[in-house]
Amino acid sequence: MKSAEPHLAQVPGPTAGDSALPLTGHFIAGRECAGNGGSQDVFDPALGAPASRVAMADSATVSEAVSAASSAFPGWAATPPARRARIMFRFRELLEQHADEICRIISSEHGKVLGDAAGELQRGVEVVEYACGIAELLKGEHSREAGPGIDSWSEMQPLGVVAGITPFNFPAMVPMWMYPLAICCGNAFVLKPSERDPGASLYIARLLRQAGLPDGVFNVVNGGREAVEALLDDARVQAVSFVGSTPVAESIYRRTTAAGKRVQALGGAKNHAVILPDADLAASADALMGAAYGSCGQRCMAISVAVCVGEETGDQLAGLLRRRIAALRVGPGSDNQNDMGPLVSRDSLERVLGYIEQGVGQGAELAVDGRGLIVPGYENGFFIGACLFDRVKPQMSIYRDEIFGPVLCLLRVDSLAEAIELVNSHEYGNGAALFTRDGEAARRFSSEAQIGMVGINVALPVPVASQSFGGWKRSLFGDLHAYGPDATRFYTRRKTMTQRWLPRKPGDSAGPKFSFPSGGA
Ligand code: NAD
């Protein structure tokens, strides 16, 4: 991969008032600006100190971004899909060329290890590649001779201005679940990324412009709740894609549907891995390590519960995990030798520590205690080591709630039926995995699990770009999933035309008909 071109890496942004720290501003109509809503700190989680500031949009700034998108929409909607795709091809090349710089920004603001940031970017690029086929994806359906001299067809028309609101944990990938397909469908887009790691979105906005995207088709407003509510309440915004925690997803879903808008709101998760006695336990333990502790457990598809069928399976797996955790390297994300970086913020660290206290208080066995970890040179960083709770019970808060940290809960049950019952009783339904060599058990699990994304001997069953991503139950509010085939449905509305051209002379009409028209008539 080539390194960043200086003119892109060092574009001077607006300054943050009196602060000496650089400011990540907004990107509206192709220009960067600070807006009037003030700014707040963005931390380097490894150092535990502010490293930059982010502008916080007020409602006037949001309105400006929506105006820019509204003005750009008609021209963009009239641009042939093949031309839109050509811009995406160029954008894809720029992402590849600037991957190192994007990963550096992600790692410095989120804390994840550079290699993990590269993995997230790659999954986002795959959605861009899928969007490059937009001419094929938008092809409508045609019925010739639907009636005498009548042809009928449907086409997918863009919605107008659509908004995306995204979480901190995948600052490049989750926005890329949204805007490449929304834009390729002919919409104009306003992105509101997480205020905790806004840098990647602004950098990528510059790349889209460099790829030739007309100004106003892609805009970024930074900020928090005020910016989100201004976006939701703006009558010009036709549809909203949200990814974040369940309470916010649910409230956004309710507010947006009450306003008559289209919405997909993806929420939190508690993903179970069920381990049967016949599984390759060493391979299962390896898979669980990455799925539970990668990105410090801050993934919506992270495995946070291991359900072992049989006491012996539980004892063996706990031993294998303990040995692997002892070898885990925890440190700053900028060092690719590390397996796990810090948590994103002090608040997150305190939340995770609070849950560990609760688990101990409620009687779970803290088999590995990652608290009190000090990383030399990074003493103020938001670090915590991997934690493993054994003999967890379903009524405990560490089992019921999404902790969003490096905490794996191990439960023991007597049968596959009991494991499926456990999975299905949980309020979340994002992902689940089964580890086994038994095809019949695998088939039963994949059919009976009340879960949106199921893995068989795959711990993180994140769908590829040509499938769609989404959970069930309280992990998704709305009907359509993210990216893949569902995205072209979400970001367009169908129009169906019926047209008659009969060779007719004047006076040929058979006169009015009052029965309901049907195909043969
Ligand atoms: P969050 O809900 O705190 O924030 C998500 C977005 O909503 C951010 O842009 C934030 O600024 C905004 N926001 C926060 N509070 C708001 C409020 N009260 N009103 C309006 N907007 C608000 O989530 P987070 O902590 O950034 O991300 C972690 C969560 O996201 C976890 O629960 C994780 O499971 C979930 N997540 C889910 C998926 C999925 O695909 N289901 C993917 C990634 C993350």
Side-chain angles (χ1 to χ4, degrees), residues 114-479:
L114 283 168
D116 190 27
E120 109 158 66
L121 183 61
Q122 176 56 26
R123 291 305 289 261
V125 167
E126 287 166 16
V127 179
V128 174
E129 288 165 350
Y130 179 75
C132 286
I134 196 65
E136 173 69 21
L137 296 172
L138 287 185
K139 253 184 356 194
E141 292 153 354
H142 192 97
S143 303
R144 190 175 157 74
E145 248 7 60
I150 295 177
D151 297 329
S152 179
W153 70 93
S154 61
E155 55 187 51
M156 318 285 265
Q157 296 196 346
L159 304 175
V161 179
V162 301
I165 299 152
T166 53
F168 81 86
N169 65 326
F170 287 108
M173 181 184 77
V174 170
M176 287 162 110
W177 288 358
M178 304 173 180
Y179 64 79
L181 280 153
I183 287 174
C184 280
C185 285
N187 300 288
F189 201 87
V190 181
L191 173 67
K192 207 301 285 171
S194 171
E195 63 276 36
R196 285 184 266 181
D197 46 15
S201 292
L202 200 77
Y203 190 90
I204 283 172
R206 296 173 191 156
L207 295 185
L208 274 166
R209 186 161 196 265
Q210 195 181 337
L213 193 71
D215 290 344
V217 175
F218 179 72
N219 308 275
V220 181
V221 286
N222 280 305
R225 184 175 183 160
E226 185 184 351
V228 170
E229 291 180 350
L231 264 179
L232 302 182
D233 295 346
D234 192 312
R236 296 168 295 176
V237 173
Q238 302 294 315
V240 175
S241 297
F242 172 87
V243 177
S245 57
T246 285
V248 182
E250 188 168 22
S251 77
I252 283 183
Y253 180 78
R254 291 193 192 291
R255 193 171 179 134
T256 317
T257 47
K261 297 179 185 192
R262 191 177 289 190
V263 56
Q264 52 181 185
L266 283 70
K270 194 82 180 176
N271 305 307
H272 295 56
V274 175
I275 299 95
L276 295 188
D278 71 344
D280 177 336
L281 289 185
S284 308
D286 284 339
L288 288 183
M289 286 298 296
Y293 303 121
S295 208
C296 209
Q298 300 169 114
R299 292 179 180 145
C300 62
M301 289 293 278
I303 294 289
S304 47
V305 178
V307 184
C308 294
V309 175
E311 280 294 326
E312 204 187 319
T313 313
D315 291 345
Q316 283 185 29
L317 188 77
L320 290 164
L321 288 171
R322 251 193 240 114
R323 285 200 286 284
R324 283 161 174 73
I325 291 172
L328 199 72
R329 288 158 304 188
V330 185
S334 55
D335 180 351
N336 235 343
Q337 300 301 310
N338 290 321
D339 301 311
M340 195 172 100
L343 286 164
V344 71
S345 67
R346 184 158 304 284
D347 281 357
S348 294
L349 180 59
E350 276 160 17
R351 257 194 62 248
V352 173
L353 291 172
Y355 272 111
I356 295 168
E357 284 288 312
Q358 287 176 38
V360 172
Q362 290 165 9
E365 181 187 316
L366 187 54
V368 181
D369 185 355
R371 292 175 294 180
L373 178 87
I374 302 289
V375 178
Y378 297 87
E379 288 77 6
N380 295 322
F382 309 135
F383 288 99
I384 178 170
C387 298
L388 177 67
F389 272 114
D390 200 353
R391 304 193 180 279
V392 174
K393 300 288 176 224
Q395 64 276 13
M396 295 177 178
S397 57
I398 52 170
Y399 173 75
R400 286 198 322 268
D401 298 350
E402 180 184 48
I403 299 176
F404 226 53
V407 182
L408 179 62
C409 295
L410 205 143
L411 284 79
R412 293 141 188 261
V413 295
D414 293 331
S415 64
L416 175 61
E418 215 182 308
I420 294 175
E421 172 64 26
L422 202 57
V423 167
N424 289 351
S425 303
H426 206 284
E427 66 169 316
Y428 294 120
N430 221 35
L434 178 74
F435 288 89
T436 184
R437 291 186 171 100
D438 178 345
E440 200 181 326
R443 194 160 186 273
R444 176 175 174 197
F445 184 79
S446 50
S447 141
E448 292 181 15
Q450 299 289 306
I451 295 291
M453 294 166 283
V454 174
I456 304 296
N457 298 318
V458 172
L460 292 177
V462 178
V464 293
S466 55
Q467 301 287 340
S468 296
F469 180 109
W472 288 11
K473 298 187 276 186
R474 289 177 60 75
S475 292
L476 187 144
F477 301 87
D479 303 306

